[in-house]
């Protein structure tokens, strides 16, 4: 989306849904406010020195607000989604919405096995378990893992972020790794653990 159009979307989002607050008492509500009303467990808006109000993000594509139990991010392309806990910390460490991950595309969800949790983002995913902590997976490595059945594959959960340089990349998982190179693409390798 061109920058001018994105800026107009952010202004419209921040301005609420109606030009007439008297005619509509929810006129000042935004998509972030709507999401907050759906998930009150996230707590009250949190003042981290910049005020507790919603604000535009530095990337110019969306807005966010921090709460005592997490954050809610919004962009025109993804809508409003919450992140919290260790996934939120990992997201912030990677650069938040300005990183290669972009904006959250889902709320934090529980994996089908009931063990792990994840958020999908525009440019990848962050998965968390109590045993592995939070790790990002993106690009061709993520696509390969998804094609194998995510955590239901022999690889199970990621135990590292993607590592490497432009010539080759690797993500380590509980049951092996996925390596990537320009010549071979993304290849899964099973590792037998030693006792």
């Amino acid at each position: 989306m061109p920058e001018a159009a994105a800026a107009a979307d952010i202004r419209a989002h921040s301005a609420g849904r109606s030009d007439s607050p008297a005619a509509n008492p929810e006129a000042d509500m935004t998509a972030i406010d709507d999401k907050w009303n759906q998930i009150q467990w996230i707590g009250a808006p949190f003042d981290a020195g910049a005020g507790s109000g919603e604000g535009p993000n530095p990337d110019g594509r969306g807005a966010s607000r921090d709460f005592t139990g997490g954050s809610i991010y919004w962009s025109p392309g993804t809508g409003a989604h919450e992140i919290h806990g260790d996934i939120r910390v990992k997201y912030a460490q990677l650069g938040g919405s300005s990183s290669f991950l972009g904006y959250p595309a889902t709320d934090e969800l529980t994996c089908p096995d009931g063990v792990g949790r994840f958020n999908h983002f525009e440019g990848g995913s962050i998965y968390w378990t109590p045993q592995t902590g939070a790790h990002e997976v993106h690009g061709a490595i993520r696509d390969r893992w998804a094609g194998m059945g995510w955590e239901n594959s022999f690889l199970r959960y990621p135990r590292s972020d993607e590592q490497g340089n432009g010539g080759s990349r690797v993500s380590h998982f509980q049951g092996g790794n996925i390596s990537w190179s320009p010549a071979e693409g993304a290849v899964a390798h099973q590792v037998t653990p030693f006792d």
Side-chain angles (χ1 to χ4, degrees), residues 125 127 132 135-146 148-163 169-180 186-193:
S125 301
Y127 275 75
T132 62
H135 298 288
E136 63 81 14
V137 184
H138 70 279
I141 290 175
R142 178 184 180 265
D143 294 345
R144 178 73 174 117
W145 186 47
M148 294 173 63
W150 304 99
E151 72 280 356
N152 294 314
S153 70
F154 68 81
L155 291 170
R156 296 187 313 277
Y157 286 95
R159 59 180 183 84
S160 78
D161 294 339
E162 188 173 305
Q163 306 166 8
R169 312 284 301 166
V170 65
S171 284
H172 297 281
F173 295 80
Q174 291 174 305
N177 64 62
I178 299 177
S179 61
W180 176 90
V187 179
H189 309 274
Q190 189 167 13
V191 176
T192 303

Side-chain angles (χ1 to χ4, degrees), residues 9-183:
D9 277 347
I10 292 168
R11 284 191 301 275
H13 164 77
S14 296
R17 294 179 292 208
S18 169
D19 294 329
S20 174
N24 181 0
E26 294 183 359
D28 292 330
M29 298 287 288
T30 67
I32 289 177
D33 292 324
D34 290 343
K35 181 58 130 180
W36 179 35
N37 284 330
Q38 295 169 12
I39 57 168
Q40 289 291 303
W41 59 260
I42 203 165
F46 179 74
D47 182 354
S52 60
E54 176 179 323
N57 288 342
D59 62 21
R61 295 191 315 121
S64 63
R65 183 183 294 160
D66 291 327
F67 297 84
T68 55
S71 297
I72 299 175
Y73 283 78
W74 171 89
S75 78
T78 61
H81 296 287
E82 63 83 17
I83 59 172
H84 64 276
D86 288 348
I87 291 176
R88 177 188 184 202
V89 171
K90 173 59 78 173
Y91 183 59
Q93 290 170 342
L94 294 171
S97 62
S98 297
S99 74
F100 61 90
L101 288 173
Y103 283 83
T106 67
D107 293 337
E108 185 173 311
L109 300 169
T110 301
C111 295
D113 65 6
V115 175
R117 298 190 60 81
F118 69 94
N119 276 85
H120 290 314
F121 298 83
E122 294 172 302
S125 301
I126 298 176
Y127 275 75
W128 172 91
T129 72
Q131 297 80 24
T132 62
H135 298 288
E136 63 81 14
V137 184
H138 70 279
I141 290 175
R142 178 184 180 265
D143 294 345
R144 178 73 174 117
W145 186 47
M148 294 173 63
W150 304 99
E151 72 280 356
N152 294 314
S153 70
F154 68 81
L155 291 170
R156 296 187 313 277
Y157 286 95
R159 59 180 183 84
S160 78
D161 294 339
E162 188 173 305
Q163 306 166 8
N165 56 41
S168 65
R169 312 284 301 166
V170 65
S171 284
H172 297 281
F173 295 80
Q174 291 174 305
N177 64 62
I178 299 177
S179 61
W180 176 90
S181 69

